[in-house]
Short mmCIF file of all heavy atoms in Angstrom, two decimals:
data_model
loop_
_atom_site.label_atom_id
_atom_site.label_comp_id
_atom_site.label_asym_id
_atom_site.label_seq_id
_atom_site.Cartn_x
_atom_site.Cartn_y
_atom_site.Cartn_z
N HIS E 1 114.37 106.03 96.97
CA HIS E 1 113.61 105.75 95.74
C HIS E 1 112.33 104.99 96.05
O HIS E 1 111.24 105.33 95.56
CB HIS E 1 114.48 104.96 94.76
CG HIS E 1 113.76 104.56 93.52
ND1 HIS E 1 113.10 103.35 93.42
CD2 HIS E 1 113.56 105.20 92.36
CE1 HIS E 1 112.53 103.26 92.23
NE2 HIS E 1 112.80 104.38 91.56
N ASP E 2 112.44 103.97 96.89
CA ASP E 2 111.26 103.18 97.25
C ASP E 2 110.23 104.03 98.00
O ASP E 2 109.02 103.92 97.76
CB ASP E 2 111.66 101.98 98.09
CG ASP E 2 112.44 100.95 97.30
OD1 ASP E 2 112.51 101.07 96.07
OD2 ASP E 2 112.98 100.02 97.94
N MET E 3 110.71 104.88 98.91
CA MET E 3 109.78 105.72 99.66
C MET E 3 109.09 106.73 98.76
O MET E 3 107.88 106.95 98.89
CB MET E 3 110.53 106.44 100.79
CG MET E 3 110.97 105.53 101.90
SD MET E 3 111.77 106.44 103.23
CE MET E 3 110.35 107.16 104.02
N ARG E 4 109.83 107.34 97.84
CA ARG E 4 109.21 108.30 96.92
C ARG E 4 108.19 107.61 96.02
O ARG E 4 107.12 108.16 95.76
CB ARG E 4 110.28 109.00 96.09
CG ARG E 4 111.06 110.00 96.88
CD ARG E 4 112.02 110.79 96.02
NE ARG E 4 112.83 111.67 96.84
CZ ARG E 4 114.13 111.55 97.01
NH1 ARG E 4 114.80 110.59 96.39
NH2 ARG E 4 114.78 112.38 97.79
N SER E 5 108.52 106.42 95.56
CA SER E 5 107.57 105.66 94.73
C SER E 5 106.30 105.34 95.52
O SER E 5 105.19 105.47 95.00
CB SER E 5 108.21 104.37 94.23
OG SER E 5 109.30 104.65 93.40
N GLU E 6 106.47 104.92 96.75
CA GLU E 6 105.31 104.60 97.59
C GLU E 6 104.47 105.85 97.85
O GLU E 6 103.23 105.80 97.81
CB GLU E 6 105.79 103.99 98.90
CG GLU E 6 104.69 103.48 99.79
CD GLU E 6 105.22 102.83 101.05
OE1 GLU E 6 106.25 102.13 100.98
OE2 GLU E 6 104.60 103.03 102.10
N LEU E 7 105.14 106.97 98.13
CA LEU E 7 104.41 108.22 98.34
C LEU E 7 103.64 108.64 97.09
O LEU E 7 102.49 109.08 97.16
CB LEU E 7 105.37 109.33 98.75
CG LEU E 7 105.71 109.41 100.22
CD1 LEU E 7 106.86 110.37 100.44
CD2 LEU E 7 104.52 109.83 101.02
N PHE E 8 104.27 108.51 95.93
CA PHE E 8 103.60 108.88 94.68
C PHE E 8 102.39 108.00 94.43
O PHE E 8 101.32 108.49 94.05
CB PHE E 8 104.58 108.80 93.50
CG PHE E 8 103.94 109.22 92.21
CD1 PHE E 8 103.71 110.55 91.94
CD2 PHE E 8 103.56 108.26 91.28
CE1 PHE E 8 103.11 110.95 90.76
CE2 PHE E 8 102.96 108.64 90.09
CZ PHE E 8 102.73 109.99 89.83
N ARG E 9 102.54 106.68 94.66
CA ARG E 9 101.39 105.78 94.48
C ARG E 9 100.27 106.15 95.43
O ARG E 9 99.09 106.13 95.06
CB ARG E 9 101.83 104.33 94.70
CG ARG E 9 102.55 103.71 93.53
CD ARG E 9 102.68 102.20 93.66
NE ARG E 9 103.41 101.78 94.85
CZ ARG E 9 104.74 101.71 94.95
NH1 ARG E 9 105.48 102.02 93.90
NH2 ARG E 9 105.31 101.32 96.06
N LYS E 10 100.61 106.51 96.66
CA LYS E 10 99.59 106.90 97.64
C LYS E 10 98.91 108.19 97.22
O LYS E 10 97.68 108.32 97.30
CB LYS E 10 100.24 107.04 99.02
CG LYS E 10 99.31 107.47 100.10
CD LYS E 10 98.29 106.41 100.41
CE LYS E 10 97.43 106.82 101.60
NZ LYS E 10 96.37 105.90 101.85
N LEU E 11 99.70 109.17 96.77
CA LEU E 11 99.12 110.44 96.35
C LEU E 11 98.20 110.26 95.14
O LEU E 11 97.20 110.96 95.01
CB LEU E 11 100.22 111.45 96.01
CG LEU E 11 100.92 112.10 97.20
CD1 LEU E 11 102.08 112.96 96.74
CD2 LEU E 11 99.94 112.93 98.01
N ALA E 12 98.54 109.34 94.26
CA ALA E 12 97.71 109.11 93.07
C ALA E 12 96.34 108.54 93.41
O ALA E 12 95.40 108.67 92.64
CB ALA E 12 98.43 108.18 92.10
N THR E 13 96.22 107.92 94.58
CA THR E 13 94.93 107.34 94.98
C THR E 13 94.11 108.27 95.87
O THR E 13 92.98 107.94 96.20
CB THR E 13 95.15 106.02 95.74
OG1 THR E 13 95.87 106.28 96.94
CG2 THR E 13 95.91 105.02 94.88
N MET E 14 94.67 109.40 96.26
CA MET E 14 93.97 110.31 97.17
C MET E 14 92.85 111.05 96.43
O MET E 14 93.01 111.40 95.26
CB MET E 14 94.94 111.32 97.78
CG MET E 14 96.04 110.70 98.62
SD MET E 14 95.44 109.73 100.00
CE MET E 14 94.86 110.99 101.07
N PRO E 15 91.74 111.31 97.11
CA PRO E 15 90.64 112.06 96.47
C PRO E 15 91.01 113.54 96.31
O PRO E 15 91.91 114.04 96.98
CB PRO E 15 89.48 111.87 97.44
CG PRO E 15 90.13 111.61 98.76
CD PRO E 15 91.41 110.89 98.46
N MET E 16 90.30 114.22 95.46
CA MET E 16 90.58 115.64 95.22
C MET E 16 90.39 116.47 96.48
O MET E 16 91.06 117.49 96.65
CB MET E 16 89.68 116.17 94.10
CG MET E 16 90.11 115.71 92.71
SD MET E 16 91.83 116.09 92.33
CE MET E 16 91.79 117.84 92.24
N SER E 17 89.51 116.04 97.37
CA SER E 17 89.29 116.80 98.61
C SER E 17 90.58 116.88 99.45
O SER E 17 90.82 117.87 100.13
CB SER E 17 88.16 116.19 99.42
OG SER E 17 88.50 114.85 99.78
N PHE E 18 91.40 115.84 99.37
CA PHE E 18 92.68 115.87 100.08
C PHE E 18 93.54 117.00 99.57
O PHE E 18 94.15 117.75 100.35
CB PHE E 18 93.41 114.52 99.90
CG PHE E 18 94.84 114.54 100.38
CD1 PHE E 18 95.13 114.44 101.73
CD2 PHE E 18 95.88 114.68 99.48
CE1 PHE E 18 96.44 114.47 102.17
CE2 PHE E 18 97.20 114.71 99.92
CZ PHE E 18 97.47 114.61 101.27
N PHE E 19 93.59 117.18 98.25
CA PHE E 19 94.43 118.22 97.67
C PHE E 19 93.84 119.61 97.91
O PHE E 19 94.57 120.59 97.92
CB PHE E 19 94.64 117.95 96.18
CG PHE E 19 95.42 116.70 95.93
CD1 PHE E 19 94.77 115.52 95.56
CD2 PHE E 19 96.79 116.68 96.08
CE1 PHE E 19 95.49 114.36 95.35
CE2 PHE E 19 97.51 115.52 95.88
CZ PHE E 19 96.85 114.36 95.52
N ASN E 20 92.53 119.69 98.10
CA ASN E 20 91.91 120.97 98.44
C ASN E 20 92.22 121.35 99.89
O ASN E 20 92.36 122.52 100.19
CB ASN E 20 90.39 120.92 98.24
CG ASN E 20 90.03 120.89 96.77
OD1 ASN E 20 90.77 121.38 95.92
ND2 ASN E 20 88.88 120.30 96.45
N ARG E 21 92.31 120.37 100.77
CA ARG E 21 92.59 120.62 102.18
C ARG E 21 94.08 120.80 102.48
O ARG E 21 94.44 121.53 103.38
CB ARG E 21 92.09 119.45 103.04
CG ARG E 21 90.63 119.37 103.25
CD ARG E 21 90.28 118.31 104.31
NE ARG E 21 91.12 117.13 104.29
CZ ARG E 21 90.84 116.01 103.63
NH1 ARG E 21 89.76 115.93 102.90
NH2 ARG E 21 91.65 114.97 103.70
N THR E 22 94.92 120.10 101.76
CA THR E 22 96.35 120.07 102.06
C THR E 22 97.10 121.04 101.16
O THR E 22 96.91 121.05 99.95
CB THR E 22 96.91 118.65 101.87
OG1 THR E 22 96.08 117.73 102.58
CG2 THR E 22 98.33 118.55 102.37
N LYS E 23 97.96 121.82 101.77
CA LYS E 23 98.75 122.78 101.00
C LYS E 23 99.81 122.05 100.19
O LYS E 23 100.39 121.05 100.63
CB LYS E 23 99.42 123.78 101.96
CG LYS E 23 98.42 124.62 102.70
CD LYS E 23 99.10 125.52 103.70
CE LYS E 23 98.04 126.29 104.46
NZ LYS E 23 98.57 126.98 105.59
N PHE E 24 100.07 122.55 98.99
CA PHE E 24 101.05 121.91 98.10
C PHE E 24 102.44 121.89 98.71
O PHE E 24 103.20 120.94 98.56
CB PHE E 24 101.09 122.59 96.74
CG PHE E 24 99.88 122.32 95.90
CD1 PHE E 24 99.11 123.36 95.43
CD2 PHE E 24 99.52 121.02 95.59
CE1 PHE E 24 97.99 123.12 94.66
CE2 PHE E 24 98.39 120.77 94.82
CZ PHE E 24 97.63 121.82 94.36
#
């Protein structure tokens, strides 16, 4: 749970270019 929460918080701060480069 803690790891998923940390990952979600990190993903929420990533720029849109990260999501364009990284496959879902």
Side-chain angles (χ1 to χ4, degrees):
H1 176 269
D2 291 350
M3 290 182 76
R4 286 186 184 114
S5 296
E6 186 177 321
L7 276 169
F8 182 76
R9 281 193 301 276
K10 178 68 175 175
L11 283 174
T13 63
M14 298 302 288
M16 285 305 293
S17 61
F18 169 79
F19 295 101
N20 288 333
R21 284 190 324 267
T22 309
K23 296 176 183 169
F24 288 122

